[in-house]
Amino acid sequence: MRMSELSTRSGVAIPTIKYYLREGLLHQGEQVAATRADYDESHLRRLRLIRALLEVGRLPVAAIKKVVDAVQDESLPVHQLLGTAQYALSPTVAPEPTPEWDTARAQVDALLDRLGWQVTPEAPARNELAQTVIRMRQLGLAADLTPYAEAADRLVTEVELDTIPYDGPRDAAVEALVLGTVLYGRAFDALRRLAQESESARRFAR
C-alpha cells in the first residue's frame, strides 16, 4: 500500500508517519521508485503500537523508541520484551534518603519475597510502591498491602497475561500488554469505586 493508504487505514497523518520514519520508530517501506515506497500490514501493526504507547501509555518519544527497539530485536526474549514495555509505563521514583524510605522499601521487598514473585531489584514499581506506603503511613492509613497483592496476583495469572498473543507479531504482544496494563488498571479503579458505593449503600442506606 502507498503512504496515503497507510495513513487512511491507520488514522495517522502523513507528516506524522514521515516523522516516525525519520526517528526510526517505524521501519522503512519497500522502495519501488525514487520517490515511492510500499508499506504492508507490519507497518499498520507498528503504527497501532506507537499510538498505544503515545495515546494510552502517554510515553515520550524517547521511551517509545526504547520499546520499539526491543520489539525489533528478535534475539530479545519475550520476558525482557514485555519488561521493557512495562518499565517504560512505570513512573520513575527516586529513593528518599530517610529512615521511613528504608522501612517502606524493606516492607515492599518482604511482601514480594513472601508472595514468591520473581521481580528484579531495580523494578521501578518497587520504589513506586514504597513511596505509596510512606504516604499511607503519613496519612494514618493501614499499610498492609497483602490483600491487594493477592488480588493482583489472581488477576494477572488467571486473566491478564492470557490475553497477550505471544505466538503472533511482537508488536501485537507489546500493544496488548500496554493497553491491558493501562485500561484494565483504569477499569479496576472504577470498579472499586462502584463496589465501595454499593457496599456503603448496603451498610448505611435506609
Side-chain angles (χ1 to χ4, degrees):
M1 75 186 86
R2 302 191 66 170
M3 186 177 289
S4 57
E5 183 181 352
L6 179 64
S7 174
T8 299
R9 292 182 60 184
S10 66
V12 179
I14 289 178
T16 303
I17 293 175
K18 290 181 177 179
Y19 170 72
Y20 292 159
L21 287 166
R22 288 195 305 271
E23 293 296 314
L25 299 178
L26 183 66
H27 46 294
Q28 297 293 325
E30 180 183 359
Q31 204 71 33
V32 295
T35 58
R36 180 186 165 192
D38 275 350
Y39 303 91
D40 57 26
E41 295 297 320
S42 69
H43 294 89
L44 280 173
R45 284 195 302 270
R46 180 61 54 79
L47 287 173
R48 283 198 298 267
L49 172 60
I50 294 170
R51 290 190 69 176
L53 292 167
L54 184 65
E55 298 173 11
V56 179
R58 300 193 180 280
L59 297 183
V61 170
I64 294 175
K65 183 67 165 61
K66 289 183 181 179
V67 176
V68 168
D69 287 345
V71 169
Q72 294 178 158
D73 183 0
E74 295 287 344
S75 68
L76 198 66
V78 171
H79 176 61
Q80 290 178 250
L81 169 64
L82 299 180
T84 300
Q86 189 200 64
Y87 282 23
L89 292 171
S90 301
T92 300
V93 177
E96 301 172 11
T98 63
E100 291 80 11
W101 175 269
D102 294 338
T103 300
R105 178 59 195 257
Q107 178 184 336
V108 169
D109 294 344
L111 173 62
L112 299 185
D113 288 342
R114 191 163 63 250
L115 292 166
W117 288 4
Q118 301 178 54
V119 180
T120 61
E122 64 271 14
R126 285 184 186 259
N127 282 353
E128 182 184 5
L129 197 54
Q131 185 183 65
T132 302
V133 167
I134 291 173
R135 301 298 178 259
M136 292 171 73
R137 287 178 174 159
Q138 289 173 340
L139 295 170
L141 298 176
D144 180 12
L145 299 176
T146 302
Y148 296 90
E150 291 172 345
D153 188 66
R154 287 195 301 274
L155 282 172
V156 170
T157 58
E158 298 175 13
V159 181
E160 290 187 5
L161 284 194
D162 288 337
T163 66
I164 297 175
Y166 304 104
D167 55 352
R170 290 160 68 89
D171 302 72
V174 174
E175 180 188 11
L177 175 75
V178 171
L179 294 177
T181 299
V182 176
L183 297 180
Y184 284 134
R186 291 177 188 170
F188 185 67
D189 284 344
L191 286 167
R192 284 183 62 244
R193 291 192 295 273
L194 292 168
Q196 288 169 353
E197 180 180 343
S198 175
E199 182 62 11
S200 175
R202 188 187 69 80
R203 294 189 185 192
F204 307 118
R206 293 181 180 179

